[in-house]
Amino acid sequence: MQPDRQVRLGAIIDTLESGMIERCQSVRLCLLAALAGEHTLFIGPPGTAKSELARRLHTAFRDAGYFERLLTRFSVPEELFGPLSIKALEEDRYERHTAGFLPDASIAFIDEVFKANSAILNALLTLLNEREFDNGAGRQRCPLISAVGATNDVPEDEIAEAFFDRFLVRLPVAAVSADGFAALLEAGRGKSWTAPPRELALAREDLARLAADAAGVAISDAFVAVLAELRERFAGQQIYVSDRRWVKIVWLLRVAAASEDRPAVALWDLLLLPWLTAPDAPRQAAVADWLAARLGVREAFSPQRLTRVVEAFEGQLDVELKANDLDYDETGRLKFSATELADQVGDAKGGAAAPRMSYSRRRRYGESHIGARVRQVDALLERIGGYAAEIAAQRAQLADYAARSLWLDRKLTARAAMNLAATAAAIDELAARAAAARSGFLDLPRLPQDNGAVPEPVAHEVLDAP
């Protein structure tokens, strides 16, 4: 591929998106899947531009054969794989003429794909995964780059589930929203669409070079940790994601990084996960919610946990401010008084004259006690400051990444940015509360002389190092 790979891909995306209303993310993910050698499934009602998306995708690849077929429950294998060879039958061989049919295509669009019978689906499983077609006694290699499937819904049976798993990208599509309706009508005034020029289209050599670069893209421990966390979350919700799919997901994200000339997968690439993991729109929305709230925010320093830690110091300060000691005289004996409280005690039997302990006094603390408390709060403030700097860096990285990324969903990226902004604001507020607690400890009543007593540290949840 040319040195300006990202610029070239950006130009292809702009061309494919031209005139498409509210389908930008579908265009981008469909193209990314093809670059990674994976397949896309559109799930939605008729008339939502699913076939148009597939036809445009095929123009992004140079000299790419295209195959399209609408399946019904009456479809036969000949419609997809070609007619039987009469000459081969005369020679006792069971072979098909595949030229011009699915085994000969580079980009394929199969509409109502789940209406195919089991014989067709079983053949498609091998073709989509291994790029091979059983033709007679041998296997025929297929030039397939990517297949695009479309369906109104996904049936729940064993064969359909296995076939469903072959589509790495699952894109629910719906009718254009009310906000986009006027633009849709304007786009339908007969304006023609022009495919990318031949020099812009991608050749097989370009795909091979991209794959070689993707193989060298690194993944970080933080990236793997988030994937593992999401995998555990899916297990708890009984959402099955196969091991094969996890491997393919990482490969697609490596391709995304290589397409933008990045040496490593970024944490923000994980914002593509809703369409790569969850099977339907509601669960994809749940994954998107989780990612928007989770990415860039370390669990050990989440605002919720930090709030509990700050509250522990505030609670300790409140206890020490309200603590009282018994009052002693100069000889060390408890003070008693019959006169100081007489006006507060009125009874007919002379009880006011009885000796009583005088009022207790506020507890006072030595320098050692106050210094220990302040040092512990200072350590917390240092950690909060480090985390605030980390959040600021994450916000800057996300903004830079979003400005350059070819593939990210803009709405989901904006939600992640808003969550980081809210986290930063919460951290600033917690830092102010911790600073106020520090001032409170400094203002505690003091003993005339330090007694050397050092208190036990304030107990709170353990925080990771910043």
Side-chain angles (χ1 to χ4, degrees):
M1 196 175 287
Q2 299 169 355
D4 56 342
R5 171 186 288 164
Q6 185 172 2
V7 174
R8 185 179 178 188
L9 287 172
I12 291 174
I13 290 171
D14 289 342
T15 304
L16 297 183
E17 288 180 348
S18 177
M20 302 292 285
I21 309 301
E22 298 181 355
R23 295 292 180 265
C24 291
Q25 190 64 11
S26 296
V27 168
R28 291 166 186 254
L29 287 178
C30 194
L31 177 60
L32 178 58
L35 295 178
E38 296 298 337
H39 313 297
T40 301
L41 180 66
F42 292 117
I43 308 170
T48 50
K50 298 188 292 293
S51 58
E52 177 66 16
L53 286 166
R55 290 169 193 148
R56 291 192 180 194
L57 175 67
H58 125 263
T59 66
F61 300 94
R62 193 179 304 168
D63 302 323
Y66 179 68
F67 177 82
E68 179 178 326
R69 191 69 76 236
L70 170 64
L71 298 184
T72 71
R73 55 191 177 131
F74 302 109
S75 296
V76 294
E78 284 75 10
E79 295 180 41
L80 273 75
F81 309 119
L84 292 172
S85 169
I86 302 301
K87 183 177 181 180
L89 286 174
E90 291 174 349
E91 297 173 359
D92 293 332
R93 290 183 289 111
Y94 190 88
E95 294 180 359
R96 295 184 181 277
H97 286 297
T98 58
F101 288 86
L102 180 56
D104 191 44
S106 297
I107 300 293
F109 175 60
I110 308 173
D111 201 1
E112 297 298 343
V113 66
F114 287 100
K115 288 187 177 179
N117 57 47
S118 58
I120 292 176
L121 288 179
N122 284 330
L124 283 173
L125 285 173
T126 302
L127 197 152
L128 295 183
N129 207 45
E130 281 87 25
R131 286 354 188 240
E132 293 181 342
F133 173 65
D134 290 322
N135 195 4
R139 277 200 165 186
Q140 173 183 334
R141 289 293 301 170
C142 303
L144 186 65
I145 295 173
S146 181
V148 178
T151 183
N152 292 339
D153 51 54
V154 180
E156 297 182 0
D157 60 69
E158 186 175 345
I159 295 178
E161 185 175 338
F163 189 58
F164 185 51
D165 196 51
R166 292 301 193 273
F167 294 95
L168 183 60
V169 178
R170 301 155 172 172
L171 290 169
V173 290
V176 169
S177 69
D179 292 338
F181 186 64
L184 175 69
L185 299 181
E186 182 66 21
R189 292 203 307 169
K191 296 178 181 179
S192 60
W193 175 77
T194 303
R198 180 177 174 80
E199 62 271 15
L200 197 62
L202 304 170
R204 290 278 179 177
E205 295 77 14
D206 299 323
L207 297 179
R209 196 170 296 115
L210 177 61
D213 291 344
V217 169
I219 58 174
S220 66
D221 292 341
F223 173 89
V224 174
V226 175
L227 279 184
E229 192 175 339
L230 183 59
R231 183 173 185 250
E232 184 176 351
R233 182 181 180 87
F234 281 156
Q237 297 174 348
Q238 296 184 335
I239 298 176
Y240 176 69
V241 179
S242 67
D243 291 346
R244 173 179 59 214
R245 175 168 288 272
W246 286 116
V247 172
K248 288 178 176 290
I249 285 170
V250 173
W251 172 250
L252 183 138
L253 297 182
R254 278 188 160 117
V255 170
S259 70
E260 297 172 355
D261 299 316
R262 290 187 277 118
V265 172
L267 190 67
W268 306 109
D269 288 321
L270 293 171
L271 290 172
L272 296 175
L273 286 180
W275 301 278
L276 307 179
T277 53
D280 51 43
R283 283 177 281 190
Q284 288 178 359
V287 174
D289 291 342
W290 183 82
L291 288 168
R294 171 66 178 83
L295 292 184
V297 180
R298 281 195 288 144
E299 184 65 23
F301 269 94
S302 66
Q304 294 82 0
R305 178 170 290 186
L306 278 176
T307 297
R308 293 192 292 269
V309 173
V310 171
E311 285 174 346
F313 283 92
E314 291 173 333
Q316 183 64 39
L317 174 62
D318 186 61
V319 167
E320 295 185 3
L321 283 171
K322 293 179 179 178
N324 291 323
D325 285 328
L326 296 176
D327 201 4
Y328 294 87
D329 61 21
E330 293 77 4
T331 65
R333 300 177 64 182
L334 285 173
K335 287 184 179 180
F336 287 86
S337 172
T339 59
E340 293 179 10
L341 302 179
D343 58 346
Q344 302 178 28
V345 180
D347 63 291
K349 296 183 179 180
R356 288 176 171 79
M357 280 193 302
S358 63
Y359 57 89
S360 60
R361 67 184 180 188
R362 290 180 64 193
R363 181 173 299 173
R364 293 177 290 178
Y365 303 89
E367 292 292 339
S368 296
H369 178 103
I370 293 173
R373 290 283 188 247
V374 169
R375 284 192 296 275
Q376 194 178 4
V377 178
D378 284 342
L380 173 62
L381 283 168
E382 183 178 357
R383 291 194 170 193
I384 292 177
Y387 186 46
E390 181 181 319
I391 290 294
Q394 292 281 15
R395 294 178 69 186
Q397 290 171 11
L398 177 57
D400 179 65
Y401 183 80
R404 296 184 295 106
S405 176
L406 294 171
W407 314 112
L408 283 192
D409 177 76
R410 301 304 172 189
K411 291 182 179 179
L412 184 53
T413 305
R415 287 176 56 195
M418 289 176 60
N419 180 69
L420 286 179
T423 300
I427 295 305
D428 289 343
E429 180 183 351
L430 289 169
R433 288 171 59 180
R438 182 183 189 277
S439 298
F441 284 120
L442 283 172
D443 291 339
L444 286 173
R446 297 174 184 255
L447 292 170
Q449 291 185 342
D450 184 20
N451 59 8
V454 177
E456 290 292 327
V458 175
H460 60 72
E461 294 184 52
V462 177
L463 297 174
D464 288 347

